[in-house]
């Protein structure tokens, strides 16, 4: 704000017409002090001054605006004319005339062509002056308009010069930009040629990927077919032999064969799930609405408990209601977790199975006691072919936890492991 007022004062001081205006005002009125002042709501700044009474105000000098009548001129935007302050009905008791020692006073607003208030053209004298002639006020108004138009013209001229300088800079910048654009265009043409070559390469890669995807699907299908068929033949042959009149030793061998067939079927299932997860875009699930999950989960636990009669499994699943899921895959997930807990947990401590439903979200947890899992093993626990420990009785490929994790992910969930204190 201060910088702007200083610039305005310098502008008015530089106008060639202003000294002549002040001389005419003094000569026409007989008043010995005349000035052009910049006036705002809180500032009064002298721009040009003709002081014949030694008032002590020079160009660039300031007065407290609240002590001036110019503030009232600014508020009402109308002239104030006082021939003799001592006898004036309005200003006889006003503090300003006695404060600055004048009796006659004229102040006319300077309003710029755009309608904004700039300041005042004013004159005063310690002696009374007859200012009642109408032509005096008209003369003041005309000279105020002259000053206003000159201020506006110089502002426009300065703005035009600044715009011209900006335009020249913009032109130089545009020329530089044009040169840069030409260079960029040449580079873009080279990039286009490279992109076309890359597109050809990408199209060939896409064709290869489609062929590879089809090959993966064929691999998974052939893997399941070629592994299951001979195993099914072995199982069927063993069942036929079981109907024959065999010795005790023969039935024991058939029992071992049956268990081996079952274990091999589980390994094949794990390998196929692993192949689908890694090669086929994830384990597929077939979700159904309103699945009564708790009974199916209890059945899974009961089957595992039958195969481990010497182990205790504690089950709490009453908090699980109906939900949307693939019941077979959720059963497989729980079976893998419980089987893992039975394999790696302490034999003299129970395996715990807990289930709750919170805001429609099912949370399953399986816990066991035993030697803590090492941090290294914990970090990779749900990766394929990873085991938390190595025990002589352990069998399988190390895919159970990985498959359980993939089933959880296919349902929009996660599988995590924590150490219990």
């Amino acid at each position: 704000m201060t910088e702007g007022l200083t610039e305005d004062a310098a502008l008015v001081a530089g106008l060639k017409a202003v000294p002549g205006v002040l001389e005419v005002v003094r000569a026409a009125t007989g008043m010995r002090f005349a000035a052009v002042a910049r006036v705002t709501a809180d500032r009064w700044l002298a721009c040009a001054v003709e002081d014949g009474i030694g008032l002590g105000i020079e160009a660039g000098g300031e007065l407290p605006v609240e002590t001036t009548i110019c503030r009232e001129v600014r508020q009402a935007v109308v002239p104030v004319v006082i021939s003799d302050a001592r006898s004036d009905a309005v200003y006889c008791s006003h503090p300003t005339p006695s404060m600055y020692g004048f009796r006659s006073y004229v102040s006319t607003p300077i309003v710029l062509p755009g309608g904004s208030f700039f300041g005042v053209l004013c004159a005063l004298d310690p002696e009374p002056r007859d200012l009642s002639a109408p032509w005096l006020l008209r003369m003041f108004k005309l000279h105020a308009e002259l000053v206003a138009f000159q201020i506006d013209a110089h502002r426009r001229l300065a703005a035009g010069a600044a715009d011209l300088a900006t335009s020249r800079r913009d032109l130089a910048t545009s020329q530089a930009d044009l040169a840069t654009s030409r260079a960029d265009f040449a580079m873009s043409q080279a990039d286009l040629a490279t992109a076309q070559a890359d597109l050809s390469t990408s199209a060939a890669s896409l064709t290869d990927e489609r062929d590879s995807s089809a090959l993966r699907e064929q691999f998974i299908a052939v893997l399941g077919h070629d592994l299951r068929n001979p195993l099914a033949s072995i199982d069927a042959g063993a069942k036929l032999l079981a109907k024959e009149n065999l010795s005790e030793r023969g039935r024991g061998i058939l029992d071992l064969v049956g268990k081996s067939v079952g274990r091999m079927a589980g390994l094949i299932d794990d390998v196929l799930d692993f192949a689908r997860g890694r090669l086929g875009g994830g384990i597929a699930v077939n979700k159904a609405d309103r699945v009564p999950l708790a009974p199916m989960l209890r059945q899974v636990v009961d089957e595992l408990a039958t195969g481990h009669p010497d182990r205790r499994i504690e089950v709490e699943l009453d908090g699980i209601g109906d939900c949307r899921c693939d019941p077979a895959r959720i059963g497989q997930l729980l079976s893998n977790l419980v089987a893992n807990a039975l394999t790696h947990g302490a034999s003299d401590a129970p395996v715990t199975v807990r289930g709750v439903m919170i805001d429609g979200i099912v949370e399953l947890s399986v816990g066991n006691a035993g030697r803590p899992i090492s941090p290294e093993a914990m970090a990779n626990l749900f990766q394929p072919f990873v085991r938390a420990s190595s025990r002589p009785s352990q069998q399988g490929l190390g895919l159970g936890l990985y498959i359980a994790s993939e089933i959880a992910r296919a349902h929009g969930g996660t599988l995590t492991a924590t150490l219990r204190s």
Side-chain angles (χ1 to χ4, degrees):
M1 181 67 179
T2 300
E3 183 180 351
L5 291 182
T6 303
E7 291 177 353
D8 289 341
L11 188 156
V12 173
L15 295 177
K16 293 182 179 180
V18 169
V21 169
L22 297 182
E23 281 297 323
V24 170
V25 166
R26 290 178 60 187
T29 62
M31 292 188 284
R32 289 167 284 174
F33 179 92
V36 174
R38 178 76 166 94
V39 182
T40 67
D42 54 2
R43 301 283 296 279
W44 188 100
L45 178 65
C47 301
V49 176
E50 288 290 338
D51 185 3
I53 59 175
L55 191 59
I57 300 175
E58 298 178 351
E62 291 197 47
L63 295 177
V65 70
E66 66 274 8
T67 67
T68 69
I69 297 176
C70 296
R71 181 175 63 170
E72 299 169 15
V73 175
R74 178 183 179 275
Q75 291 171 345
V77 196
V78 293
V80 171
V81 180
I82 305 172
S83 294
D84 188 351
R86 293 179 183 178
S87 61
D88 190 275
V90 176
Y91 291 96
C92 61
S93 59
H94 199 286
T96 298
S98 60
M99 179 181 297
Y100 292 106
F102 65 83
R103 292 178 67 180
S104 55
Y105 176 85
V106 178
S107 181
T108 304
I110 298 174
V111 180
L112 301 180
S116 62
F117 181 89
F118 179 86
V120 297
L121 170 63
C122 61
L124 57 86
D125 196 90
E127 300 297 329
R129 296 284 185 264
D130 183 8
L131 304 174
S132 60
W135 66 267
L136 281 175
L137 184 56
R138 288 198 298 271
M139 181 269 293
F140 259 87
K141 289 182 178 179
L142 287 173
H143 283 81
E145 290 176 1
L146 173 62
V147 173
F149 277 111
Q150 288 217 346
I151 292 171
D152 184 66
H154 277 72
R155 282 184 172 180
R156 291 177 181 274
L157 182 62
D163 290 343
L164 179 60
T166 301
S167 298
R168 286 174 176 171
R169 289 195 299 269
D170 291 344
L171 178 60
T173 302
S174 298
Q175 289 174 330
D177 290 343
L178 179 59
T180 303
S181 297
R182 287 173 175 169
D184 290 343
F185 179 69
M187 186 177 295
S188 297
Q189 288 180 317
D191 290 342
L192 178 61
T194 303
Q196 288 174 333
D198 291 343
L199 181 61
S200 299
T201 303
S202 298
S205 298
L206 180 60
T207 301
D208 291 342
E209 179 60 28
R210 288 173 178 170
D211 293 342
S212 298
S213 178
L215 184 60
R216 286 196 296 267
E217 295 298 328
Q218 293 174 4
F219 169 75
I220 294 172
V222 170
L223 180 66
H225 180 272
D226 288 357
L227 288 179
R228 289 184 188 278
N229 279 356
L231 191 63
S233 298
I234 294 172
D235 185 46
K239 289 178 180 178
L240 288 174
L241 285 175
K243 296 179 181 180
E244 300 294 328
N245 187 17
L246 301 176
S247 64
E248 188 70 23
R249 182 169 178 272
R251 291 192 176 277
I253 293 173
L254 278 181
D255 184 58
L256 291 175
V257 170
K259 291 180 179 179
S260 296
V261 168
R263 187 164 62 254
M264 281 297 299
L267 290 175
I268 291 172
D269 289 340
D270 285 350
V271 169
L272 288 176
D273 283 337
F274 169 73
R276 292 189 185 98
R278 282 301 177 95
L279 303 180
I283 291 178
V285 295
N286 184 20
K287 297 180 183 179
D289 291 328
R290 302 187 63 80
V291 175
L293 198 56
M296 183 273 295
L297 296 178
R298 288 194 181 91
Q299 179 181 347
V300 170
V301 174
D302 290 343
E303 291 174 357
L304 290 167
T306 301
H308 298 78
D310 56 333
R311 301 293 299 277
R312 182 159 56 96
I313 304 177
E314 298 177 354
V315 182
E316 292 183 11
L317 298 173
D318 295 335
I320 298 180
D322 295 351
C323 68
R324 186 173 185 271
C325 67
D326 184 332
R329 286 296 190 183
I330 296 298
Q332 182 183 4
L333 179 151
L334 181 62
S335 177
N336 287 358
L337 295 180
V338 175
N340 184 78
L342 291 169
T343 300
H344 299 285
S347 59
D348 57 350
V351 170
T352 60
V353 178
R354 303 284 186 267
V356 295
M357 179 177 283
I358 302 174
D359 296 331
I361 305 295
V362 175
E363 293 185 4
L364 283 175
S365 64
V366 176
N368 62 273
R371 181 179 298 176
I373 303 173
S374 68
E376 295 79 10
M378 182 72 81
N380 300 294
L381 193 60
F382 299 113
Q383 297 300 314
F385 312 115
V386 173
R387 299 187 177 96
S389 63
S390 296
R391 296 168 58 174
S393 61
Q394 183 177 332
Q395 297 175 355
L397 299 173
L399 294 174
L401 293 182
Y402 166 75
I403 292 171
S405 177
E406 289 296 297
I407 293 172
R409 187 168 66 89
H411 282 81
T414 57
L415 186 61
T416 59
T418 57
L419 297 177
R420 295 193 304 185
S421 58

